[in-house]
Amino acid sequence: MEEKHTHIHNHNHEVSQDDELLALLNYMVGHNESHTSELSELAKQLDTDENAEAYNLVRKAIDEYKKGNELLKNALKQSETNPNR
């Protein structure tokens, strides 16, 4: 005779606000990297004599995106290693 065996599982699947913030911050890093790639492609198209100023401005914007993203990555590392999380 086969014996039926059942379990009742009650798991807490709640996500903390800190975890949500870290996930959002991580998403934003990737999102910004995607924009940086798109801007690089745009800059390539602007790399002509008649668009030299626009090209230079887009290159500066790319540099700023990269700087900002490094700050976001540092914030993410700090938050992940915070013992009070």
Side-chain angles (χ1 to χ4, degrees):
M1 179 167 168
E2 187 176 317
E3 185 177 327
K4 268 195 165 179
H5 190 83
T6 61
H7 291 278
I8 297 174
H9 294 277
N10 187 8
H11 297 281
N12 184 357
H13 294 283
E14 289 183 29
V15 177
S16 74
Q17 184 176 7
D18 284 349
D19 288 339
E20 284 185 20
L21 291 173
L22 288 176
L24 180 59
L25 191 53
N26 192 48
Y27 167 79
M28 291 305 299
V29 167
H31 183 79
N32 287 349
E33 287 173 349
S34 174
H35 281 303
T36 302
S37 294
E38 292 168 353
L39 287 170
S40 293
E41 291 300 316
L42 178 62
K44 287 178 189 176
Q45 295 174 26
L46 290 170
D47 193 9
T48 63
D49 289 339
E50 62 267 7
N51 290 319
E53 184 60 25
Y55 169 81
N56 289 330
L57 291 170
V58 172
R59 293 302 317 166
K60 287 180 183 179
I62 291 168
D63 291 341
E64 294 301 317
Y65 258 91
K66 288 179 179 179
K67 288 177 191 175
N69 227 25
E70 285 304 311
L71 293 171
L72 291 176
K73 287 178 185 179
N74 289 338
L76 184 59
K77 286 178 192 172
Q78 286 293 109
S79 294
E80 288 174 335
T81 60
N82 182 353
N84 297 323
R85 251 179 32 98

